[in-house]
Amino acid sequence: PDPSGYMSAGMNKALAHIRENLTRPFSEEDLASIAGQSTSSFSRAFRQHTGMSLVQYVKRLRINLACQILMSDEQAPITSICFEVGYNNLSNFNRQFLAEKGMTPSQFRRLLTVTAKPACEAVPA
């Protein structure tokens, strides 16, 4: 990431818009308008600022949000989490989660339940 981008008020507004609307649809054109740039200029500046494309950045934030929900709500169905974090297709969510975390949401949840057990329960008597 390019630290000089932190000086850009327009880019900071666009990043704030992403955080505030992460679970809702938005377009690169919307963000470019917020930043006061053309779409192509915004795309270049965004990649320079964050070190990744807008799609990669949003995917990472949404998957991290899904991880937080998986860790905090053991009862929430994965399908509900998928829609809650802004995906509209469960198979795409599973595929993106796997690509980002190296495991499916179900595997992530199982891993959490195994590692969260107290030590006395983890070792048979």
Side-chain angles (χ1 to χ4, degrees):
D2 178 13
S4 67
Y6 292 104
M7 304 295 186
S8 168
M11 185 59 69
N12 288 336
K13 285 180 188 176
L15 291 169
H17 183 82
I18 292 170
R19 282 190 306 275
E20 293 163 9
N21 298 282
L22 183 60
T23 61
R24 293 188 284 273
F26 54 84
S27 69
E28 194 165 33
E29 290 80 16
D30 297 336
L31 296 171
S33 176
I34 289 166
Q37 298 177 330
S38 71
T39 305
S40 59
S41 294
F42 175 78
S43 181
R44 271 191 312 278
F46 189 89
R47 185 177 290 276
Q48 201 172 23
H49 183 75
T50 64
M52 60 187 83
S53 72
L54 175 62
V55 170
Q56 291 169 316
Y57 184 82
V58 170
K59 177 180 87 164
R60 182 168 289 173
L61 289 179
R62 286 179 175 169
I63 296 300
N64 286 341
L65 177 58
C67 289
Q68 290 174 3
I69 296 168
L70 284 164
M71 289 187 290
S72 66
D73 187 353
E74 297 171 6
Q75 304 304 315
I78 290 173
T79 306
S80 298
I81 295 170
C82 160
F83 296 118
E84 188 176 338
V85 299
Y87 285 89
N88 57 12
N89 179 303
L90 182 60
S91 62
N92 184 41
F93 171 68
N94 285 327
R95 193 170 39 256
Q96 299 297 329
F97 195 101
L98 177 62
E100 188 70 27
K101 296 298 179 185
M103 65 184 80
T104 66
S106 301
Q107 291 169 324
F108 183 85
R109 179 173 269 165
R110 273 195 300 276
L111 183 65
L112 284 173
T113 57
V114 168
T115 58
K117 285 186 179 180
C120 59
E121 289 181 28
V123 179

